[in-house]
Amino acid sequence: MKGNSLNSLVAGMAVGKTRNAKSKEYAHASEWPKCSIAGCPLPTTIKAETCTCGYHYREHGLSADCITEAIKEHTFLLNKYNQMLFWDIKKWNESRAAILGWAVLPCTEEELNFPTMYLIKLKNHIDKGIVSKGKEIYNSRV
């Protein structure tokens, strides 16, 4: 009986190691390539019938092209947002004056005390900007 339970325990541990190896395999960068829409600079975030970024999900043709142009116009903000995600408290304090007076989207004192609030606000601003610019470009071409 003891030998059987020991064998099953060891077998269970081997399965756990296999799963961990699989997790690392899935996290490999090649698993998530760039968005499949031509010209899009963003990585894949949605794997469905095609691998796309969140902005291009279920978009095709002219609409997808217009969104790509809008994304390219917002690349600076997307890059800034991605940098800010990794800022520590020291960096937030060093950047205090610049963020409070940032013409793109000024930060409030409360948001500086709770950076996540500002990051959510900035991401929403970028998302709305890309969607509205994409629609604007689309309407100018139709």
Side-chain angles (χ1 to χ4, degrees), residues 12-130:
M13 291 171 65
V15 169
K17 287 183 179 179
T18 304
R19 285 185 187 150
N20 192 20
K22 291 267 187 211
S23 298
K24 289 179 182 177
E25 180 183 324
Y26 290 131
H28 192 269
S30 66
E31 183 71 21
W32 295 92
K34 285 203 178 273
C35 178
S36 63
I37 302 298
C40 182
L42 300 179
T44 293
T45 53
I46 297 176
K47 283 189 169 184
E49 58 277 354
T50 58
C51 296
T52 64
C53 65
Y55 300 108
H56 282 114
Y57 182 61
R58 295 189 176 171
E59 296 291 340
H60 305 285
L62 179 60
S63 177
D65 292 342
C66 295
I67 290 172
T68 300
E69 285 184 42
I71 290 170
K72 287 179 180 178
E73 288 185 24
H74 286 80
T75 300
F76 168 76
L77 288 176
L78 287 166
N79 290 338
K80 186 67 171 175
Y81 170 78
N82 288 331
Q83 289 171 357
M84 292 171 79
L85 285 174
F86 295 100
W87 283 5
D88 58 10
I89 298 297
K90 183 179 176 183
K91 181 67 175 172
W92 279 97
N93 285 332
E94 289 172 358
S95 305
R96 183 178 204 86
I99 297 170
L100 285 170
W102 196 22
V104 174
L105 188 67
C107 185
T108 65
E109 286 289 338
E110 182 182 18
E111 290 167 340
L112 275 178
N113 294 328
F114 302 99
T116 303
M117 289 173 55
Y118 183 73
L119 290 170
I120 291 169
K121 181 172 118 175
L122 179 58
K123 183 67 165 93
N124 287 335
H125 175 77
I126 294 167
D127 292 346
K128 288 177 186 174
I130 289 172

Side-chain angles (χ1 to χ4, degrees), residues 62-63 66 131-142:
L62 179 60
S63 177
C66 295
V131 169
S132 66
K133 186 63 177 180
K135 287 179 181 177
E136 179 184 319
I137 294 169
Y138 182 84
N139 290 333
S140 70
R141 293 185 182 177
V142 177

